[in-house]
Amino acid sequence: MTTKQSLRAAAVARRAARTGEARVAAGEALLRHGLAACAGARCVAAYVGVGTEPPTVPLLDALHASGVRILLPVIDGTDLDWAAYDGPATLADRPLGLAEPVGARLGAEAVRDADVVLVPALAVDRDGHRLGRGRGYYDRALRTVIAPVIAVVYDDDVVNAVIVESHDRDVDGWVTPSGHYDR
């Protein structure tokens, strides 16, 4: 029987097998498709890909350089707060191995200012079901978001089916190194 834990383990293993060079190349490819996914946005809520996650800093830097306001999550207990991104030098290593902005906290509701929300995922299926790491931070944070929510994943993270529970928040699309897709 497939469980969320087994799907997570498979995704983590796939990502761990990727070389550093392959991750860098994926980040460069994500840049172009991520810009297309965020076209016309004045404010984008995103995250910093760390470890084996798809690298997002090239995309964040390109959006920031073009004048787009970038909001990044900051873990605040069991919820996400948000802070502005002003370049890699304004990031600090934080709990759970995350890179978070060191600037002023804007509050949990700041995500509602975003025109597009880019979220991490271990996997996504074609129905927009997203598999996260299981802590529920994004499911809670996105309950009141109206903007399009787009998962950032590798091509092989788009799977046939993701197990869904009542609290899970679907995504409106996904961006991979090979393209941007809406469900």
Side-chain angles (χ1 to χ4, degrees):
M1 178 176 175
T2 302
T3 64
K4 278 190 169 183
Q5 288 89 352
S6 65
L7 290 172
R8 285 186 184 106
V12 168
R14 274 193 317 271
R15 288 179 172 191
R18 214 171 248 106
T19 66
E21 294 82 16
R23 283 193 286 279
V24 169
E28 292 168 1
L30 279 167
L31 171 60
R32 180 170 43 112
H33 301 300
L35 288 172
C38 297
R42 296 178 315 276
C43 179
V44 173
Y47 71 99
V48 176
V50 296
T52 61
E53 291 180 326
T56 58
V57 171
L59 174 59
L60 298 177
D61 287 345
L63 288 167
H64 185 261
S66 69
V68 174
R69 181 176 185 222
I70 307 293
L71 303 177
L72 295 180
V74 178
I75 294 178
D76 182 22
T78 60
D79 293 314
L80 294 181
D81 198 336
W82 299 85
Y85 175 70
D86 290 315
T90 63
L91 297 173
D93 292 334
R94 303 301 249 192
L96 304 177
L98 302 177
E100 296 178 351
V102 296
R105 303 300 181 254
L106 304 172
E109 65 284 349
V111 70
R112 289 187 234 144
D113 293 339
D115 300 305
V116 175
V117 181
L118 301 176
V119 297
L122 288 171
V124 64
D125 68 21
R126 298 199 184 281
D127 291 325
H129 304 312
R130 174 188 162 271
L131 179 68
R133 294 210 177 256
R135 292 187 175 99
Y137 288 108
Y138 281 92
D139 293 319
R140 287 187 297 279
L142 299 175
R143 280 184 282 206
T144 61
V145 169
I146 298 169
V149 176
I150 300 171
V152 180
V153 294
Y154 293 106
D155 293 299
D156 57 0
D157 292 334
V158 180
V159 298
N160 290 330
V162 168
I163 297 169
V164 181
E165 296 177 39
S166 61
H167 64 271
D168 291 330
R169 169 65 156 87
D170 286 349
V171 295
D172 300 296
W174 53 95
V175 63
T176 71
S178 67
H180 166 231
Y181 306 90
D182 296 317
R183 67 174 175 111

